[in-house]
Protein backbone atom coordinates (compact mmCIF):
# COMPACT_ATOMS: atom_id res chain seq x y z
CA UNK A 1 0.00 0.00 0.00
CA UNK A 2 1.41 3.41 -0.93
CA UNK A 3 1.71 6.28 1.49
CA UNK A 4 -1.31 8.61 1.59
CA UNK A 5 0.73 11.45 0.09
CA UNK A 6 2.39 9.39 -2.65
CA UNK A 7 -0.12 10.53 -5.29
CA UNK A 8 0.33 14.17 -4.33
CA UNK A 9 4.13 13.75 -4.52
CA UNK A 10 3.82 12.21 -8.00
CA UNK A 11 1.59 15.09 -9.10
CA UNK A 12 4.03 17.68 -7.76
CA UNK A 13 6.92 15.96 -9.57
CA UNK A 14 4.88 15.89 -12.79
CA UNK A 15 4.07 19.60 -12.47
CA UNK A 16 7.73 20.43 -11.80
CA UNK A 17 8.88 18.41 -14.82
CA UNK A 18 6.32 20.06 -17.11
CA UNK A 19 7.14 23.57 -15.89
CA UNK A 20 10.83 22.91 -16.34
CA UNK A 21 10.23 21.63 -19.88
CA UNK A 22 8.08 24.65 -20.68
CA UNK A 23 10.75 27.09 -19.52
CA UNK A 24 13.35 25.17 -21.53
CA UNK A 25 11.35 25.90 -24.69
CA UNK A 26 8.85 23.02 -24.97
CA UNK A 27 5.70 25.00 -25.79
CA UNK A 28 3.47 21.90 -25.60
CA UNK A 29 4.60 20.85 -22.12
CA UNK A 30 1.67 22.53 -20.36
CA UNK A 31 -0.87 21.73 -23.08
CA UNK A 32 -0.49 17.99 -22.46
CA UNK A 33 -0.43 18.28 -18.66
CA UNK A 34 -4.09 17.27 -18.27
CA UNK A 35 -3.57 14.11 -20.29
CA UNK A 36 -0.52 13.21 -18.21
CA UNK A 37 -2.48 13.66 -14.98
CA UNK A 38 -5.24 11.38 -16.28
CA UNK A 39 -2.69 8.76 -17.36
CA UNK A 40 -1.14 8.82 -13.88
CA UNK A 41 -4.59 7.98 -12.45
CA UNK A 42 -4.34 10.53 -9.65
CA UNK A 43 -7.35 11.10 -7.41
CA UNK A 44 -9.07 14.32 -6.44
CA UNK A 45 -7.58 13.91 -2.96
CA UNK A 46 -4.10 13.77 -4.52
CA UNK A 47 -4.80 17.01 -6.38
CA UNK A 48 -6.18 18.73 -3.26
CA UNK A 49 -3.13 17.69 -1.22
CA UNK A 50 -0.76 18.93 -3.94
CA UNK A 51 -2.62 22.25 -4.18
CA UNK A 52 -2.44 22.74 -0.42
CA UNK A 53 1.27 21.93 -0.48
CA UNK A 54 1.87 24.50 -3.23
CA UNK A 55 -0.16 27.15 -1.44
CA UNK A 56 1.67 26.39 1.79
CA UNK A 57 5.02 26.69 0.07
CA UNK A 58 3.99 30.01 -1.49
CA UNK A 59 2.71 31.36 1.82
CA UNK A 60 5.86 30.20 3.61
CA UNK A 61 8.05 31.79 0.96
CA UNK A 62 6.13 35.07 1.24
CA UNK A 63 6.39 35.11 5.03
CA UNK A 64 10.15 34.56 4.81
CA UNK A 65 10.63 37.60 2.58
CA UNK A 66 10.62 35.72 -0.69
CA UNK A 67 13.41 33.31 0.23
CA UNK A 68 13.35 29.65 -0.62
CA UNK A 69 11.08 27.81 1.80
CA UNK A 70 11.88 24.30 2.89
CA UNK A 71 8.32 23.16 2.20
CA UNK A 72 7.83 19.43 2.10
CA UNK A 73 4.82 17.19 2.41
CA UNK A 74 6.22 15.72 5.62
CA UNK A 75 6.24 19.10 7.35
CA UNK A 76 3.42 19.69 9.82
CA UNK A 77 0.72 22.09 8.62
CA UNK A 78 0.46 25.55 10.11
CA UNK A 79 -2.46 26.82 12.16
CA UNK A 80 -4.20 28.17 9.06
CA UNK A 81 -3.92 24.88 7.12
CA UNK A 82 -7.13 23.33 5.94
CA UNK A 83 -7.79 19.70 6.58
CA UNK A 84 -8.63 17.65 3.48
CA UNK A 85 -11.57 15.26 3.84
CA UNK A 86 -10.88 11.59 3.31
CA UNK A 87 -13.21 9.69 0.99
CA UNK A 88 -14.77 7.94 4.01
CA UNK A 89 -15.44 11.28 5.74
CA UNK A 90 -17.02 12.76 2.60
CA UNK A 91 -19.37 9.78 2.45
CA UNK A 92 -20.09 9.77 6.20
CA UNK A 93 -20.73 13.36 7.32
CA UNK A 94 -23.36 15.72 6.02
CA UNK A 95 -21.96 19.09 4.89
CA UNK A 96 -23.79 20.72 7.80
CA UNK A 97 -22.16 18.38 10.34
CA UNK A 98 -18.73 18.97 8.81
CA UNK A 99 -19.28 22.75 8.90
CA UNK A 100 -20.36 22.57 12.52
CA UNK A 101 -17.21 20.67 13.50
CA UNK A 102 -14.95 23.01 11.53
CA UNK A 103 -16.55 25.96 13.32
CA UNK A 104 -15.96 24.34 16.73
CA UNK A 105 -12.31 23.83 15.82
CA UNK A 106 -11.94 27.38 14.47
CA UNK A 107 -13.38 28.86 17.67
CA UNK A 108 -11.12 26.70 19.83
CA UNK A 109 -13.94 24.64 21.35
CA UNK A 110 -12.19 21.50 20.08
CA UNK A 111 -8.42 21.18 19.83
CA UNK A 112 -6.89 19.22 16.94
CA UNK A 113 -6.80 15.95 18.89
CA UNK A 114 -10.41 16.27 20.03
CA UNK A 115 -11.47 17.17 16.48
CA UNK A 116 -9.83 14.01 15.14
CA UNK A 117 -11.39 11.85 17.89
CA UNK A 118 -14.84 13.22 17.04
CA UNK A 119 -14.28 12.49 13.34
CA UNK A 120 -12.93 9.04 14.12
CA UNK A 121 -16.03 8.17 16.10
CA UNK A 122 -18.47 9.69 13.61
CA UNK A 123 -16.96 7.93 10.60
CA UNK A 124 -17.01 4.57 12.36
CA UNK A 125 -20.41 4.79 14.09
CA UNK A 126 -22.36 3.40 11.11
CA UNK A 127 -24.78 6.33 10.77
CA UNK A 128 -24.90 7.76 7.22
CA UNK A 129 -24.99 10.66 6.78
CA UNK A 130 -24.00 11.94 10.20
CA UNK A 131 -26.36 14.77 11.18
CA UNK A 132 -25.50 18.00 12.96
CA UNK A 133 -27.32 16.74 16.05
CA UNK A 134 -25.16 13.62 16.30
CA UNK A 135 -21.99 15.65 15.58
CA UNK A 136 -23.00 18.12 18.34
CA UNK A 137 -23.61 15.32 20.84
CA UNK A 138 -20.34 13.51 20.13
CA UNK A 139 -18.33 16.76 20.11
CA UNK A 140 -19.80 17.77 23.47
CA UNK A 141 -18.97 14.37 24.94
CA UNK A 142 -15.42 14.47 23.64
CA UNK A 143 -14.87 18.03 24.84
CA UNK A 144 -16.48 17.59 28.27
CA UNK A 145 -16.88 13.99 29.40
CA UNK A 146 -14.01 11.74 28.35
CA UNK A 147 -13.06 9.45 31.22
CA UNK A 148 -9.64 7.89 31.84
CA UNK A 149 -10.46 4.73 29.84
CA UNK A 150 -10.99 6.64 26.60
CA UNK A 151 -14.71 5.86 26.54
CA UNK A 152 -17.23 8.58 25.93
CA UNK A 153 -20.01 8.55 28.50
CA UNK A 154 -23.19 10.54 28.71
CA UNK A 155 -26.90 10.48 29.41
CA UNK A 156 -27.58 8.19 26.43
CA UNK A 157 -25.09 5.48 27.36
CA UNK A 158 -21.49 4.91 26.37
CA UNK A 159 -19.73 5.43 23.07
CA UNK A 160 -16.61 3.43 22.38
CA UNK A 161 -14.01 5.65 20.88
CA UNK A 162 -11.70 4.10 18.29
CA UNK A 163 -8.01 4.97 18.34
Amino acid sequence: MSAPRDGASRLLRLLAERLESYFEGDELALETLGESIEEAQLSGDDAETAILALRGAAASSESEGGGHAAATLERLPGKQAQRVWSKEERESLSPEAWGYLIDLRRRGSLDDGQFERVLDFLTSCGVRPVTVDLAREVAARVALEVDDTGRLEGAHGEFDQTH
Side-chain angles (χ1 to χ4, degrees), residues 96-143:
E96 295 82 11
W98 182 258
Y100 174 76
L101 293 175
I102 293 292
D103 189 53
L104 286 178
R105 183 172 165 211
R106 181 187 58 79
R107 291 185 291 145
S109 299
L110 291 176
D111 64 27
D112 291 341
Q114 291 170 324
F115 180 81
E116 292 301 324
R117 286 194 304 273
V118 170
L119 281 178
D120 189 37
F121 174 78
L122 292 174
T123 57
S124 63
C125 72
V127 175
R128 300 291 186 268
V130 169
T131 63
V132 173
D133 292 335
L134 181 56
R136 182 179 296 119
E137 182 178 352
V138 172
R141 290 178 182 199
V142 166

Side-chain angles (χ1 to χ4, degrees), residues 5 11 25 50 56 65 81 84 87 96 115 127 138-139 153 156 160 162:
R5 295 181 179 155
L11 178 55
V84 178
K87 180 180 178 185
E96 295 82 11
F115 180 81
V127 175
V138 172
E153 298 186 66
H156 302 293
D160 282 326
T162 57

Side-chain angles (χ1 to χ4, degrees), residues 64-77:
E64 294 176 6
H68 294 286
T72 65
L73 291 176
E74 289 77 30
R75 200 162 124 190
L76 292 175

